[in-house]
Amino acid sequence: MKAFRLDELEAERAANDGAYLQFLRERNMSVGLYALDAGETDPQQPHRQDEVYMIVSGRASITVGMETTEVARGSVVYVPAGVPHKFHHITEDLRVLVVFSPPER
């Protein structure tokens, strides 16, 4: 079994001075913690993998392709591989669990 605590993952991510911390990588998927602070710009480019975002905390909007929705704690968003997407209008520090399938390279 592999088990993780969000507070420990957040501390590790912050200690490594990065917005993204991959903490699990398996044959068919990878999982990471993504962080964007209020007012920050999301630098993401489309990925080659399908993604699922689960919002752990914070509040923002996300645009996937031509569709936009507001997200907050408990929101889950699917992003197909190759589709442009960005978080924006981040009004509260955003913490997001990200699942890539297949694993992010």
Side-chain angles (χ1 to χ4, degrees), residues 9-10 21 26 36 52 77 80 90 98-99 103 105:
L9 294 171
E10 174 62 13
L21 170 71
E26 297 294 333
L36 292 166
V52 173
V77 178
I90 303 166
V98 184
V99 178
R105 297 179 187 186

Side-chain angles (χ1 to χ4, degrees), residues 9-102:
L9 294 171
E10 174 62 13
E12 183 179 348
R13 185 206 58 77
N16 289 313
D17 293 326
Y20 184 73
L21 170 71
Q22 183 182 91
F23 61 89
L24 179 66
R25 184 178 180 85
E26 297 294 333
R27 184 171 45 91
N28 294 318
M29 62 178 266
S30 61
V31 184
L33 178 64
Y34 189 44
L36 292 166
D37 290 337
E40 199 169 352
T41 300
D42 184 1
Q44 291 191 82
Q45 298 296 317
H47 301 95
R48 293 188 214 168
Q49 304 83 2
D50 288 340
E51 296 176 79
V52 173
Y53 291 122
M54 188 192 141
I55 310 304
V56 175
S57 63
R59 189 172 296 278
S61 293
I62 185 171
T63 298
V64 178
M66 300 300 289
E67 296 180 84
T68 299
T69 190
E70 293 182 11
V71 294
R73 183 175 182 246
S75 298
V76 178
V77 178
Y78 167 68
V79 180
V83 175
H85 58 283
K86 296 222 184 272
F87 289 100
H88 52 92
H89 297 97
I90 303 166
T91 58
E92 296 176 16
D93 293 352
L94 195 61
R95 299 300 180 264
V96 183
L97 282 179
V98 184
V99 178
F100 284 100
S101 180

